Amino acid sequence: MVKAANTPGTAPGTPPRTRILVVGGGYVGMYTALRLQQKLRPGEAEVTVVTPDPYMTYQPFLPEAAAGAISPRHVVVPLRRVLDKCRIVIGEAEHIDHAKRTATVSTLATADEGTGPRQIEYDELVLAPGSISRTLPIPGLADYGIGFKSVEEAIGLRNHVIEQMDIASSTRDPAIRDAALTFLFVGGGYAGVEALGELEDMARYAARYYHNIKPEDMKWVLVEASNRILPEVGPEMGVYTVRELRRRNIDVRLETRLESCENRVAVLSDGSRFPTRTVVWTAGVKPHPILDATDLPKNERGRLACTAFLTVEGVENAWSAGDAAAVPDITAGEHSRECAPNAQHAVRQAKALADNLTASLRGEVLTEYAHKYVGSVASLGLHKGVAFVYGRKLKGYPAWFMHRAYHLSRVPTFNRKMRVLAEWTLSGLFKREIVSLGSLEHPRAEFELAAGGTPTGRHAPPPGPASNPPKDKGD
């Protein structure tokens, strides 16, 4: 095993500390570093975490944050507070040369320094950058699409939906009104279904405060390329979810794809065409691009080829888990079966990874990661949900309650749990807030206008729908 040189402040003759580099501050990155700082002896190793954000986002709470049930600051976990024994570097890993044990990292100060990215040397690498949205070359998607993987996107989408209702309420143009009140979601997985369910529920509630908007004026569309949604909860609960959404007048279109959204006109593979100012893209994820900038082996889908010990296959001193790793599922009984890239596996893999890394440093025996998938829960809005846990199927209020209880138990830190619980309690006692704070996304716009400059952001009028846009053939 490669050992680090004595670091400043280390007495001559003492054993050098092993340098552990964790790339990524998501589920795997944070939980691995947290477990390491708990298990490592003083002076045994130093842990450096490189992450683009100073916080970890608890993504299962993004739909509720978008709906206003949870404050955005309670959806994220500050890494500097939680990982107080680790060194946190806010930046992006641009290249990793594992043969030389170096990572090239650009930080927030790189551009100002003018000296280029910095080199971080390490002895043990934990590569856990997570994933990014998997997009397709659909005309107009890059211009008008909205993602749903970060807290910024979730809050931006909430502000956007309320702003569209404000536009529809104030315009005298029927075409603009129809486009503003049409909301298209692409992807029938957790992110798409939960975001749609929560936001439709919020918009339905908000409509009571608009004198000229009724819930039935809004058109909510869910587009899914396969023949089912929420496959994790089983086929029966998936069918129930479709039925429940359609009962709420949500247009669910299975075996349908988005072919274009140019000029704010959505064109679907079934021939439907309608104007919309909201296209939310949640159609899957792909491995982070940093994996292509390493000399580590990958499988045919671009994920790191890993063993059940969470080591990178055929490589020493390299570890990985979560969305970036193809970890064999030894509980499935199939040689080629891999663990699903979800939070349930990521959190448990992080614990096993940290334990194996610690054991490796001490020359102890490693343990294979084995966790049988216990089920899934999903929220469809306030007091509505579906669940498939330990073979039992739940729907409606019991499933929604289980969804909240499970994720409350899993969100990191006692402080965060109590804050979320307090907000849920208060939201049950008082009315929802329906204010759009879109101006927060462009805080300098007002000052630029006052200073005589060209305002950006919300003051710049967005492109409108094409003149006389074609209507849905089903209308």
Side-chain angles (χ1 to χ4, degrees):
M1 181 180 298
V2 179
K3 291 296 183 179
N6 283 333
T7 56
T10 302
T14 60
R17 294 195 296 175
T18 301
R19 299 164 298 182
I20 301 174
L21 176 63
V22 179
V23 177
Y27 284 103
V28 175
M30 192 204 77
Y31 278 106
T32 298
L34 180 62
R35 183 77 169 177
L36 285 172
Q37 76 175 14
Q38 293 171 345
K39 292 184 69 71
L40 291 171
R41 304 184 187 108
E44 187 174 10
E46 58 180 10
V47 180
T48 299
V49 180
V50 174
T51 172
D53 299 307
Y55 53 81
M56 187 274 275
T57 302
Y58 191 73
Q59 291 188 340
F61 280 160
L62 287 184
E64 292 206 50
I70 301 177
S71 180
R73 67 184 184 277
H74 298 155
V75 179
V76 298
V77 181
L79 295 180
R80 295 190 188 279
R81 177 187 298 174
V82 175
L83 306 178
D84 57 324
K85 297 179 182 177
C86 300
R87 178 186 173 210
I88 308 297
V89 177
I90 306 303
E92 292 272 6
E94 296 182 352
H95 179 77
I96 296 175
D97 188 340
H98 189 66
K100 297 181 179 178
R101 305 297 194 267
T102 60
T104 303
V105 178
S106 62
T107 69
L108 297 177
T110 297
D112 292 333
E113 290 173 343
T115 56
R118 62 191 294 187
Q119 301 290 320
I120 297 181
E121 297 181 348
Y122 62 84
D123 301 314
E124 300 280 349
L125 173 68
V126 178
L127 190 52
S131 58
I132 62 173
S133 296
R134 176 176 57 85
T135 59
L136 299 175
I138 297 174
L141 182 62
D143 298 320
Y144 304 111
I146 303 172
F148 200 77
K149 271 188 67 65
S150 68
V151 66
E152 294 86 357
E153 289 175 327
I155 304 309
L157 180 57
R158 166 185 168 81
N159 292 332
H160 174 83
V161 169
I162 297 176
E163 191 173 76
Q164 297 312 301
M165 297 179 70
D166 291 335
I167 291 172
S169 177
S170 58
T171 185
R172 291 176 290 182
D173 187 326
I176 293 178
R177 176 184 169 90
D178 288 346
L181 293 181
T182 300
F183 307 96
L184 175 70
F185 287 70
V186 183
Y190 275 120
V193 173
E194 290 193 326
L196 171 61
E198 292 284 355
L199 284 166
E200 189 275 340
D201 207 39
M202 179 204 73
R204 179 182 294 273
Y205 174 86
R208 68 180 68 180
Y209 297 104
Y210 289 82
H211 70 283
N212 57 351
I213 296 180
K214 291 182 280 189
E216 50 267 29
D217 295 336
M218 294 181 281
K219 183 180 182 69
W220 297 81
V221 184
L222 177 64
V223 174
E224 168 55 39
S226 68
N227 62 355
R228 58 191 290 195
I229 66 173
L230 292 181
E232 297 87 353
V233 298
E236 183 179 332
M237 289 294 95
V239 171
Y240 165 80
T241 302
V242 172
R243 187 168 64 247
E244 169 66 16
L245 294 178
R246 286 174 174 165
R247 188 184 66 80
R248 291 159 58 178
N249 292 322
I250 296 173
D251 187 356
V252 181
R253 305 197 180 199
L254 303 178
E255 298 183 282
T256 307
R257 298 178 304 278
L258 175 68
E259 295 191 339
S260 172
C261 56
E262 284 187 302
N263 299 318
R264 295 191 183 274
V265 176
V267 181
L268 304 184
S269 60
D270 62 2
S272 301
R273 301 165 64 92
F274 45 83
T276 178
R277 299 166 65 94
T278 307
V279 176
V280 183
W281 183 266
T282 64
V285 296
K286 64 181 180 180
H288 196 282
I290 184 59
L291 299 189
D292 292 328
T294 72
D295 53 353
L296 299 174
K298 300 184 291 294
N299 67 2
E300 64 279 1
R301 288 186 297 279
R303 300 168 71 192
L304 290 176
C306 293
T307 70
F309 298 104
L310 302 171
T311 59
V312 178
E313 204 167 74
V315 180
E316 294 183 352
N317 311 114
W319 311 74
S320 187
D323 289 358
V327 179
D329 186 355
I330 63 176
T331 66
E334 302 175 28
H335 180 69
S336 59
R337 186 79 173 269
E338 297 174 359
C339 294
N342 55 40
Q344 186 177 143
H345 278 300
V347 173
R348 290 170 172 82
Q349 286 174 359
K351 178 181 177 182
L353 191 160
D355 289 348
N356 277 346
L357 178 49
T358 304
S360 174
L361 295 179
R362 298 171 182 171
E364 299 171 355
V365 178
L366 307 188
T367 304
E368 290 186 317
Y369 170 75
H371 171 69
K372 191 172 182 180
Y373 195 63
V374 298
S376 300
V377 290
S379 169
L380 304 179
L382 189 63
H383 300 159
K384 297 176 280 289
V386 290
F388 183 73
V389 182
Y390 292 113
R392 298 191 61 183
K393 302 164 188 157
L394 298 173
K395 56 188 179 182
Y397 184 88
W400 171 84
F401 182 82
M402 177 172 285
H403 173 271
R404 282 201 162 183
Y406 173 79
H407 286 300
L408 183 65
S409 70
R410 293 300 173 183
V411 67
T413 77
F414 179 78
N415 177 13
R416 201 69 44 204
K417 297 180 196 293
M418 291 300 100
R419 289 179 181 273
V420 170
L421 182 60
E423 287 203 309
W424 281 342
T425 303
L426 291 174
S427 65
L429 298 175
F430 301 100
K431 296 180 179 179
R432 292 193 193 198
E433 295 293 341
I434 56 168
V435 177
S436 169
L437 295 177
S439 58
L440 290 177
E441 299 164 28
H442 308 282
R444 295 191 66 248
E446 295 291 345
F447 183 78
E448 289 173 351
L449 184 64
T454 302
T456 58
R458 68 191 301 250
H459 287 286
S467 58
N468 300 319
K471 297 290 186 179
D472 189 334
K473 291 182 179 178
D475 290 344

